[in-house]
Amino acid sequence: MLKSFTLAAAAMGLMMSVAPAHAQTMTMLSSWDETYNAVPVFAQGYIDLVNEKSGGEIDIDLRGPETVPPFEQLQPVSAGLFNMLFTHGAYHLGETSMVFGMDAVTDDPAARRESGLYDLIDQHYAKHNLKLLGVFSAASGYHVMLRDPIGEDGGLAGRRIRASGTYHDFVTTLNGSVVTMPASDIYSSLERGVVDGAAWPVFGAMDYRWYEVASYMTRPMFGINNHSLFIHLDTWNGLSQDQQSLLVEAAEELEVSGRAEFKGLWEAEDAAMQEAGLEITQFGPEYADRVEAIFAQGVWRQVEDRAGADGAALHQLALEKGLTAE
């Protein structure tokens, strides 16, 4: 697999030095293309901010999932075929689940950075030759879009729900069954009844027009949708101290400004989805007050199972800092 990635990268002109010394172009691999709202706000937003702060000294070339499939991206970035990775923690659960834990952490950028959680995540990903630059909150969580409303069971009993690793434990705890498929297949699968619903961030469905094939969206919301940015460790070590500081500062600024932008965007989209005909369907009383805790428990279970002692330490620190549901 690594050999195929190398050949593909060479063919596309992607092979670059992972230890640039001065002015350079780096490549950022994204798990989504530009139609996904987080890409212009966070990925392209970061690129533009870094370019501005560096006076053009650091230029970052954005590559999407057409280059490497979303769930296979950690390895080629770890190997140095790309300099940066913009992704979600659930997209590399086969390698580790460490940063996935941030989806169960309180949505407060300053408290997150001050808590020490980033340090633990950074130390863990160093084992994969990566450094954490930032975790960007979309200022909103997740929901399930359904063809039919919540029934008497109050949950998802008997329903086939398209869900990535983000929602696996949540869906099964509510007695649904998980179907794995890329986002590009959700529309047709909902339309044909291959799945009964799709779990997704509360912001983004309008772009995919899923309101045309699903009539309901669940409430209350649960979790926090985050996007993570990593840099190849050799690339990082090849930068000057000023360049390193610039990259971290840009991420820290974008964690605040990007979150504020997203808050307005998803509130507008929530209203637009209802105007388009989507109705709210509430989880039943046996689940409604617990959806946040159910989601968090599922996230931490995967983090501890897949990241071992490091994952357990991250969970414990989040609990000690009062930044996650018990």
Side-chain angles (χ1 to χ4, degrees), residues 45-47 49-51 53 113 133 136 229 244-257:
Y46 183 80
I47 290 170
L49 188 57
V50 167
N51 189 265
K53 282 179 169 291
R113 278 200 174 263
L133 288 175
F136 308 108
L229 180 63
Q244 291 177 349
S245 296
L246 185 152
L247 293 183
V248 173
E249 288 170 5
E252 188 170 0
E253 287 182 22
L254 193 60
E255 286 171 354
V256 176
S257 63

Side-chain angles (χ1 to χ4, degrees), residues 81-98:
L81 301 183
F82 306 88
N83 300 101
M84 293 181 177
L85 174 62
F86 178 67
T87 191
H88 187 280
Y91 280 25
H92 51 260
L93 290 179
E95 288 87 357
T96 180
S97 58
M98 191 70 166

Side-chain angles (χ1 to χ4, degrees), residues 30-46 62 86 88 91 136-143 183 200-210 225-227 254 258-259 261-270 273:
S30 170
S31 296
W32 310 272
D33 62 29
E34 60 278 358
T35 61
Y36 179 53
N37 46 71
V39 172
V41 174
F42 293 125
Q44 189 61 51
Y46 183 80
L62 184 63
F86 178 67
H88 187 280
Y91 280 25
F136 308 108
S137 161
S140 56
Y142 304 101
H143 66 173
W200 194 259
V202 298
F203 182 55
M206 285 294 288
D207 293 336
Y208 293 103
R209 304 182 70 84
W210 293 332
N225 180 25
N226 292 285
H227 308 85
L254 193 60
R259 182 192 180 282
E261 182 176 351
F262 246 92
K263 187 175 187 299
L265 289 173
W266 85 255
E267 287 174 348
E269 178 165 311
D270 184 62
M273 286 194 294

Side-chain angles (χ1 to χ4, degrees), residues 13-86:
L14 295 179
M15 292 299 289
M16 73 298 286
S17 170
V18 296
H22 302 292
Q24 67 254 223
T25 295
M26 293 188 281
T27 302
M28 180 190 294
L29 184 60
S30 170
S31 296
W32 310 272
D33 62 29
E34 60 278 358
T35 61
Y36 179 53
N37 46 71
V39 172
V41 174
F42 293 125
Q44 189 61 51
Y46 183 80
I47 290 170
D48 293 342
L49 188 57
V50 167
N51 189 265
E52 177 187 344
K53 282 179 169 291
S54 69
E57 180 181 312
I58 301 177
D59 183 50
I60 304 171
D61 183 26
L62 184 63
R63 300 288 176 139
E66 73 283 354
T67 306
V68 180
F71 299 134
E72 301 173 13
Q73 293 180 341
L74 192 76
Q75 183 184 11
V77 181
S78 296
L81 301 183
F82 306 88
N83 300 101
M84 293 181 177
L85 174 62
F86 178 67

Side-chain angles (χ1 to χ4, degrees), residues 194-314:
V194 174
V195 294
D196 303 300
W200 194 259
V202 298
F203 182 55
M206 285 294 288
D207 293 336
Y208 293 103
R209 304 182 70 84
W210 293 332
Y211 59 84
E212 296 177 345
V213 289
S215 300
Y216 300 90
M217 52 186 180
T218 62
R219 292 294 184 273
M221 299 181 295
F222 49 91
I224 294 295
N225 180 25
N226 292 285
H227 308 85
S228 304
L229 180 63
F230 296 94
I231 185 169
H232 185 251
L233 200 53
D234 292 350
T235 298
W236 172 261
N237 291 333
L239 297 173
S240 69
Q241 186 173 356
D242 287 345
Q243 289 172 324
Q244 291 177 349
S245 296
L246 185 152
L247 293 183
V248 173
E249 288 170 5
E252 188 170 0
E253 287 182 22
L254 193 60
E255 286 171 354
V256 176
S257 63
R259 182 192 180 282
E261 182 176 351
F262 246 92
K263 187 175 187 299
L265 289 173
W266 85 255
E267 287 174 348
E269 178 165 311
D270 184 62
M273 286 194 294
Q274 294 184 58
E275 289 176 9
L278 272 170
E279 298 181 37
I280 290 176
T281 181
Q282 297 282 347
F283 288 114
E286 58 269 56
Y287 296 117
D289 293 338
R290 300 170 48 229
V291 292
E292 187 70 34
I294 290 172
F295 179 76
Q297 289 165 8
V299 169
W300 289 121
R301 182 160 49 247
Q302 292 201 58
V303 169
E304 295 189 21
D305 285 349
R306 298 169 186 267
D310 289 350
L314 187 71

